[in-house]
Amino acid sequence: MAQTNQDSNNSVSPEIKAKFSTLVAPFFEDHYRDSCYPGLIFRQGKRKMLQINIPAKDFPALLVTKPAKDDDPELGKQRPEVPGHAEEIKNYIIEQARKGKPWILGTLTANVPADKITILELGRGICIVVIPRDVKLEITDGQHRKTAIQKLIESEESSLISDNVFPITLVLEDDIDQCRKDFGDMAQTKPLGKALLLSFGEIEGRVGITKNLVKQVKIFYDKTDKIQDSPRIQKKFIYTNNYITRSVSCAFTKNPDSELQDYDVESSSNALASCLNKFFFECSNTRYISETKVADLTIAELRKFKDECILGVSAGLEVLGRLLYFTYNKDSNYFDDAKVSQLAQLDWTRSNPIWENNLIRIDPNPKKPDKRYKLYTNANAVSGAVKALKDKLGWMENPSY
């Protein structure tokens, strides 16, 4: 039988544990006025480093950031803080913690001159790290995480993280130029795209609904890029996760950014999937692409669809989602079949004059005669297209809201 973590922990005899506690306790007692943490010593990139774990309550007093200001990188050790990012991290922790669900933040990196701290080496890379009261650890990587944790620990909801501990990689470095270079080196990681983040998102709200739709809606199945933010047409992808997610939010609330946290994933997915399959089958502009398996479609056919049909691009899906909102009854969780059929009978090609002066602008002097239509995807263009279609159909505001 495989040994569990608990079994492994219990394999250390009480006598050895007692001896270890007796050995370590005096170090903490001798430095009770300073901050003391068990640590691990390792070397990387020709420098000595430490790994320690810091309770959330120690963040305000121990960790500091020195971000650049006024766009001058010489004034700090990191880039200027991105407005709102720390708040997003804080809200992520709060939302998960309130629900009693798991959450995680990556290891922070800080630096401190080696002569400012004391390292009590116990052997085998194990040590006690003593940080005097007047010494600060300067964040090299993780300034937004640090700010989020500090704001939360100083708020009325500190109980959500007060028992949590956060790992810190401590670089023994006092050269500010090297610290800046360290930040630059760590910033080389390519940011994850929205589509990929959605693929790894929690199965709830609009993320959960989107994941189900990608499996249940024929035009999305095997034709949705789950990694890149722009569909890789050479791999026969028409859409991306984030295209669909915005349309999902619009269909239920008219707001493309709504998280739909209070919507049941399964029932909402089933209702919208049934609606979309009906729409894409009845719409003459999408039936072939929807009903044909991706293996039987050519890249040329998919490219032609995306070039000629509004529904082959993100803005078109958002327009569709906003219009489906006017067919939806929240109380019965039902999209009106008759109205969905009305939408399906519309001309969704770019040549339809109804898109002019909202989603489409006609270039009087196109470089390519077959590329006369220039697509606009901003919020005003989408809203204009929705209004034009709603007026054409004679639809009123959704009565269920």
Side-chain angles (χ1 to χ4, degrees), residues 28 48 57 65 81 115 156 199 227 235-236 305 351 379:
F28 284 87
K48 189 175 184 178
K57 67 179 180 62
T65 58
E81 287 197 5
D115 59 0
E156 294 181 355
S199 296
I227 296 177
K235 290 184 176 289
K236 296 188 176 182
F305 171 69
S351 58

Side-chain angles (χ1 to χ4, degrees), residues 80-183:
E81 287 197 5
V82 177
H85 186 38
E87 198 69 18
E88 290 173 349
I89 297 172
K90 187 186 80 170
N91 291 338
Y92 156 72
I93 298 173
I94 291 174
E95 289 172 8
Q96 294 297 103
R98 281 177 178 170
K99 297 174 185 176
K101 293 186 175 182
W103 54 270
I104 187 170
L105 295 186
T107 301
L108 288 79
T109 304
N111 70 275
V112 67
D115 59 0
K116 296 291 186 181
I117 64 174
T118 300
I119 304 171
L120 304 172
E121 298 192 24
L122 304 177
R124 296 285 183 175
I126 301 172
C127 66
I128 304 295
V129 180
V130 181
I131 305 173
R133 287 173 295 168
D134 61 342
V135 172
K136 305 292 185 183
L137 306 181
E138 298 181 352
I139 295 290
T140 310
D141 181 58
Q143 66 196 78
H144 297 95
R145 280 165 279 165
K146 182 265 182 186
T147 300
I149 295 166
Q150 182 164 332
K151 283 184 176 180
L152 189 49
I153 203 66
E154 292 176 345
S155 74
E156 294 181 355
E157 295 192 276
S158 62
S159 60
L160 293 175
I161 66 165
S162 56
D163 288 336
N164 286 266
V165 175
F166 298 88
I168 307 287
T169 296
L170 198 53
V171 184
L172 305 183
E173 181 63 66
D174 59 355
D175 184 340
I176 188 169
D177 290 330
Q178 182 60 51
C179 293
R180 290 195 187 103
K181 186 176 185 305
D182 288 344
F183 170 77

